Amino acid sequence: MPETDLLSLQIDHVGILQSRYEQILDDHGYDGLLISSGSAPIRYGDDQSWQFQGYGPFLHWTGLTGFEHAWLLIRKGQKPLLSLYQPVDFWHASLELEQEPWLAEFEVRFSESRLAPELAGLSQLAVIGDPCLLADLPGRKNSGALCDALDETRVHKTAYEIACLAQANRLAMAGHHAARDAFLAGASEFEVNLAYQRATLQREADAPYHSIIGVNEHAGTLHYQYYDTVAPARSRSLLIDAGVRFRGYCSDITRTTAGVGEGRFGALVQGLEQLQLRLCDMVAPGVDYLDIHRKTHLGIAALLSAAGLVSGLSDDEMVSEGVTQAFFPHGIGHFLGVQVHDVAGKRVQPPADAPFLRLVRTLEPGMVVTIEPGLYFIPSLLEPLLSGSLGSHINRSLVGELRGCGGIRIEDNVVVTDSGRRNLTREAEA
């Protein structure tokens, strides 16, 4: 999409948010809402701060991920007031605000003070953000009912948001291709990470989340957080779960690659990808997301049977007896937006058979979700299964052979459209 079109969509996006927020303020009896961008807290016992990326509602309006101590004031019938902290400082550089058309929709101020802007003329003020930054402010702070309503404004993405998410996918896929090539050339986890960063031109600190890069058995730790600097003697598998943040919006993509000579594991990767594509095709308005999750377990059961990992049990029995849960322990995905695990996914708690599912809603146009089935060889989950009454149905020898590959996860980012779905990740991969 040309940049001019994106910038035009951003103006429309701001107008949509103004309308949505004004309605919510009216519904809840407020005449103004002050949003804090947040700031990076100082580490305990240190003079260094944690990495900063901004508070979700502030990013939803502005996409300005790096502006600490900024404020956004929303008022009915008036332009939003954007106050940006710009101190005179010879220790640190101040971020430059690019002059783009959307800024004309705001009253923009720059301040050398971290304090909130003047709030005169507002009799019913709401304030949201990190409570540590709101203590001395007037108004009602972080009202649960108001925050829930504001979270709903992020569920149905505008055309601008979808365009940003699509670009975040395009940038991330370049990184995934570079990471795969580095792995196949014998790179360590650390070197794979560097290849990903070089291809995406994104600092690790600016990524939407810490990239998960697991070689061999490390791929079986769902949120593996370390990078070996030396490649193993035999590189059997790579699982990389990594995204890019573009104008505040996140991609969240996972790919698994079998090492050279790993035919059996490679066949499992291909089988899971075929299942993943079928699950993506289920995304459509009116579909209960929980049904996609449950269909995943049946698909995992069929794959376990076809691969010879489990025998003597029907697909339904594998699901009901918890066999598939041991191989696929997490949920099928979540909402995606300015947060990787975007808000408002669980208006009700997930059922007992899907305890880790982050999205329990019926799909509607404008929602953006991830679809990420997995199949893992995790000792702590498989050992109770192997030692229990169902152990005779598990191919211990094959499980032992594949355990060193860790596991498989394949994840795409999918938009619910009026008539079906749009797979942003596969578009970017083409």
Side-chain angles (χ1 to χ4, degrees):
M1 172 179 290
E3 184 178 7
T4 52
D5 292 346
L6 182 69
L7 296 178
S8 176
L9 288 176
Q10 189 174 18
I11 294 173
D12 296 340
H13 169 75
V14 170
I16 291 168
L17 291 192
Q18 182 75 26
S19 177
R20 290 177 181 177
Y21 269 56
E22 286 193 6
Q23 183 62 59
I24 289 172
L25 291 178
D26 194 53
D27 291 344
H28 291 261
Y30 298 105
D31 56 7
L33 171 66
L34 181 66
I35 304 171
S36 167
S37 71
S39 68
I42 301 296
R43 300 171 185 169
Y44 176 72
D46 200 349
D47 63 355
Q48 301 294 308
S49 64
W50 299 104
Q51 184 62 31
F52 175 74
Q53 288 195 343
Y55 178 46
F58 183 84
L59 298 184
H60 192 206
W61 277 87
T62 69
L64 300 176
T65 57
F67 283 80
E68 298 184 73
H69 303 289
W71 301 89
L72 181 63
L73 180 62
I74 310 300
R75 300 156 294 183
K76 292 190 287 187
Q78 299 183 58
K79 283 186 175 183
L81 168 61
L82 177 60
S83 177
L84 299 175
Y85 175 55
Q86 277 204 336
V88 176
D89 186 1
F90 58 84
W91 289 105
H92 302 98
S94 292
L95 284 174
E96 295 291 331
L97 182 66
E98 292 191 34
Q99 294 303 306
E100 294 182 335
W102 66 275
L103 290 172
E105 307 302 310
F106 291 74
E107 178 186 346
V108 181
R109 298 179 186 173
F110 296 93
S111 174
E112 294 182 20
S113 169
R114 297 179 175 184
L115 299 178
E118 175 63 43
L119 300 170
L122 295 170
S123 59
Q124 298 295 325
L125 176 69
V127 186
I128 60 173
D130 183 344
C132 295
L133 302 176
L134 310 183
D136 297 328
L137 292 172
R140 185 169 183 187
K141 302 174 181 67
N142 291 325
S143 160
L146 177 65
C147 288
D148 287 346
L150 296 177
D151 284 350
E152 283 295 317
T153 68
R154 291 161 57 183
V155 170
H156 303 92
K157 269 51 179 182
T158 64
Y160 168 74
E161 293 180 277
I162 292 170
C164 288
L165 290 163
Q167 179 63 6
N169 270 262
R170 285 189 285 269
L171 294 170
M173 280 313 307
H176 277 269
H177 291 155
R180 176 200 60 204
D181 293 345
F183 164 73
L184 292 174
S188 67
E189 292 168 347
F190 179 74
E191 291 166 332
V192 168
N193 181 52
L194 292 180
Y196 181 83
Q197 288 181 244
R198 280 194 296 267
T200 58
L201 299 179
Q202 173 189 250
R203 292 191 314 155
E204 201 168 31
D206 295 327
Y209 57 98
H210 180 80
S211 298
I212 301 164
I213 299 173
V215 171
N216 294 355
E217 67 275 3
H218 293 163
T221 300
L222 301 186
H223 287 173
Y224 177 71
Q225 70 272 41
Y226 305 114
Y227 301 148
D228 280 353
T229 57
V230 177
R234 178 185 173 193
S235 293
R236 303 184 62 190
S237 65
L238 167 71
L239 187 153
I240 172 169
D241 184 336
V244 165
R245 190 185 286 279
F246 176 74
R247 299 179 78 91
Y249 287 86
C250 310
S251 53
D252 182 5
I253 301 168
T254 310
R255 290 293 183 263
T256 305
T257 301
V260 176
E262 294 293 338
R264 197 184 297 271
F265 182 73
L268 270 179
V269 173
Q270 292 178 9
L272 188 71
E273 179 161 24
Q274 291 306 307
L275 170 61
Q276 194 263 356
L277 291 170
R278 293 196 299 272
L279 296 171
C280 288
D281 286 343
M282 288 184 66
V283 172
V287 172
D288 189 335
Y289 193 73
L290 180 60
D291 287 344
I292 301 178
H293 176 81
R294 287 174 170 157
K295 183 69 73 173
T296 305
H297 276 277
L298 288 171
I300 294 295
L303 189 54
L304 291 173
S305 178
L309 283 160
V310 180
S311 60
L313 295 172
S314 70
D315 293 352
D316 288 333
E317 288 173 328
M318 279 191 251
V319 175
S320 64
E321 294 295 330
V323 174
T324 57
Q325 190 78 34
F327 287 92
F328 171 54
H330 59 78
I332 189 58
H334 48 81
F335 275 150
L336 184 70
V338 293
Q339 290 173 226
V340 176
H341 301 146
D342 216 2
V343 295
K346 294 193 290 187
R347 291 192 294 190
V348 298
Q349 289 303 304
D353 65 326
F356 302 116
L357 189 59
R358 291 187 170 100
L359 175 54
V360 189
R361 295 183 63 150
T362 297
L363 298 181
E364 300 170 0
M367 292 178 172
V368 180
V369 301
T370 66
I371 300 294
E372 47 182 305
L375 195 162
Y376 310 90
F377 302 94
I378 303 172
S380 63
L381 299 181
L382 292 179
E383 284 167 5
L385 185 63
L386 290 166
S387 62
S389 60
L390 297 174
S392 61
H393 296 282
I394 312 300
N395 187 329
R396 295 169 184 267
S397 174
L398 186 52
V399 167
E401 175 189 336
L402 293 170
R403 183 174 291 177
C405 294
I408 309 163
R409 183 164 64 253
I410 299 172
E411 177 183 18
D412 289 353
N413 306 163
V414 185
V415 181
V416 186
T417 65
D418 290 335
S419 58
R421 89 281 318 153
R422 178 185 170 195
N423 190 322
L424 301 179
T425 310
R426 299 293 168 164
E427 285 181 10
E429 201 168 31

